[in-house]
Amino acid sequence: MHNPSTATPERFPAADRFAQGAQFIAGRSAQGTSGRTHAVVDPATGAEVYTYELAGADDVDAAVAAAREAFPGWASATPGERSDALHRFAAVLADRAEDLARAESLQCGKPLKLSREFDVPGTIDNTAFFAGAARHLQGQSAGEYSGDHTSYVRREPIGVVGSIAPWNYPLQMAAWKVLPAIAAGNTIVLKPAELTPLTSLLFAEAATAAGIPDGVINIVTGSGKEAGEHLVGHPDVAMTSFTGSTGVGKRVAEVATSTVKRLHLELGGKAPFVVFDDADLDAAVNGAVAGALINTGQDCTAATRAYVQRPLYEAFVERTAALMETVRLGDPFAPGTDLGPLISHAQRDRVAGFVDRARSYARVVTGGEAPGGDLADGAYYRPTLIADAAQDSEIVQSEIFGPVLVVLPFDTDDEGIRLANDTPYGLAASAWSGSVYRANRATRDIKAGCVWINDHIPIISEMPHGGYKASGFGKDMSMYSFEEYTQVKHVMFDNTAAVRKDWHRTIFGAR
């Protein structure tokens, strides 16, 4: 149910679309059947804006059944038919862009300018990209590789995909899960985070409005322990894709592998930001502040560890702190706001705990506190810069997921690369240098799924996103994502028409 007293029509223009509940199964909205409710909370105010019935196991079963029923028809559609449907989908999303942006900012607390200029346009672009990609599910060209046979490769959909998306970019993560799966001919059941289901539901509703058949995209909004584990372990789910923390990812892997599912994991990160002594210092400072604070630092690719070669170190710390102090915290819907709250008070307190513990072994240069005044009721935390921490300290090694950047010096290029690689994670990184040789070495030697040079954060639909090491495996976006969502089948035709093949002699002897 909508709580009208806590969200104005201006902030939540799509509120009426949620009257029937937070589940979307077989093209229709529905209430959950777990018997438990959950509230979406505006993290800028702490007020509840939408209360709904959580999904239980029965809802997951119904969603999987709907996806399974829809699969044969969707899988047999031509690439052109799927492409046309996705083009229509992109157009509907564009028409509803403002509703999507406001719902995203309301449930996440992110500035409206971020939702309008990054989350929503990126999602529409992703949809348009996969509309084109749906026509290019190609395998290896036919050829006579054995001499006596013609071989070729087919890419075929896997079946029902069960995906779990996180709360930091709920609209974009829904798109990253849904689009390559359905473009390849699969059907999907997506479980968004309980904190942020609104835009996932609007996304699925837009797909139905675009004519994508009922059951191709289904949403179940429930707890990870109940709905999530039931979805991952469901015998009719052929593949699981999960984005979230490394700890939860390990549990997802345990459940998924018990039923021998295809598995795709995009997990945590602790991205290094390596500044060599020939870098443009002003560019690096601007990049560090933007890269560390985007989405209030709740980004698995955010710049979290700045390694700065010693000649630039003191100036980098001073200028970065000064620039951080100009960032404006405020109401996500206010035009002048640069940084919104964290997703919840619990997350704010978790971030504060990391910083407070670091005070015993490092220097908090700026920030390190929650603001008071008009922002006291929200889950706000000031942009924070920490220096003088040891490489093996918690603040350097652990994923904080907040507006916190730690800066460490290094002397030689070898040391800078070594420190960049010295965490369990390997999702993203950046290197800053005016030397093509240094930059090229960084791209080669830093162990991460994405390495930016003289920038940090930009992503594009045509290029893959995914990590190394404890950051998981597999790719979102790009044509590479089809490697996650398709089965590769080798087809082989005999060209000889011989009753007995030459290799039969290994069984029949010399007869």
Side-chain angles (χ1 to χ4, degrees), residues 354-377:
F354 276 103
V355 175
D356 290 344
R357 290 190 296 274
R359 296 179 195 277
S360 65
Y361 58 79
R363 174 168 58 104
V364 178
V365 182
T366 190
E369 63 182 4
D374 293 342
L375 303 181
D377 291 337

Side-chain angles (χ1 to χ4, degrees), residues 1 34 58 61 89 97-98 164 166-167 177 227 236 268 293 306 319 360 375 378 421 451 464 474 478 507:
M1 64 199 75
S34 71
D58 289 347
D61 288 343
F89 189 10
E98 187 65 11
I164 299 176
W167 48 255
K177 299 302 181 194
D236 290 334
L293 300 185
R319 294 190 195 182
S360 65
L375 303 181
N421 286 329
V451 181
S478 81
I507 302 301

Side-chain angles (χ1 to χ4, degrees), residues 28 36 52 112 141 151 204 213 292 301 316 321-322 334 419 441 475 487:
R28 289 172 292 282
R36 294 180 293 111
Y52 64 93
L112 187 57
S141 298
S151 290
T301 64
F316 180 91
L419 292 171
R441 183 201 174 179
K475 300 299 179 185
Q487 301 272 24

Side-chain angles (χ1 to χ4, degrees), residues 202 434 452 509:
L202 291 176
W452 292 284

Side-chain angles (χ1 to χ4, degrees), residues 195-249:
L195 295 172
T196 55
L198 301 179
T199 46
S200 297
L201 293 162
L202 291 176
F203 186 73
E205 185 184 84
T208 296
I212 291 177
D214 293 349
V216 172
I217 301 172
N218 306 275
I219 309 291
V220 290
T221 310
S223 71
K225 190 66 177 176
E226 184 175 2
E229 291 207 7
H230 191 63
L231 177 62
V232 172
H234 200 289
D236 290 334
V237 170
M239 175 188 167
T240 290
S241 178
F242 170 80
T243 295
S245 71
T246 298
V248 177

Side-chain angles (χ1 to χ4, degrees), residues 101 148 190 202 234 248 277 286 356 434 508:
D148 290 337
L190 174 74
L202 291 176
H234 200 289
V248 177
D277 59 13
N286 279 272
D356 290 344
F508 303 136

Side-chain angles (χ1 to χ4, degrees), residues 284-368:
V285 167
N286 279 272
V289 173
L293 300 185
I294 187 171
N295 202 32
T296 319
Q298 298 167 125
D299 187 311
C300 50
T301 64
T304 59
R305 299 178 288 137
Y307 296 101
V308 183
Q309 206 150 25
R310 205 168 296 273
L312 298 182
Y313 178 73
E314 293 297 337
F316 180 91
V317 171
E318 179 181 349
R319 294 190 195 182
T320 299
L323 186 56
M324 276 189 171
E325 289 166 3
T326 70
V327 173
R328 300 164 298 183
L329 277 69
D331 178 359
F333 289 81
T337 294
D338 297 320
L339 202 69
L342 291 147
I343 188 67
S344 67
H345 288 81
Q347 179 67 10
R348 191 270 312 276
D349 294 345
R350 178 180 180 274
V351 171
F354 276 103
V355 175
D356 290 344
R357 290 190 296 274
R359 296 179 195 277
S360 65
Y361 58 79
R363 174 168 58 104
V364 178
V365 182
T366 190

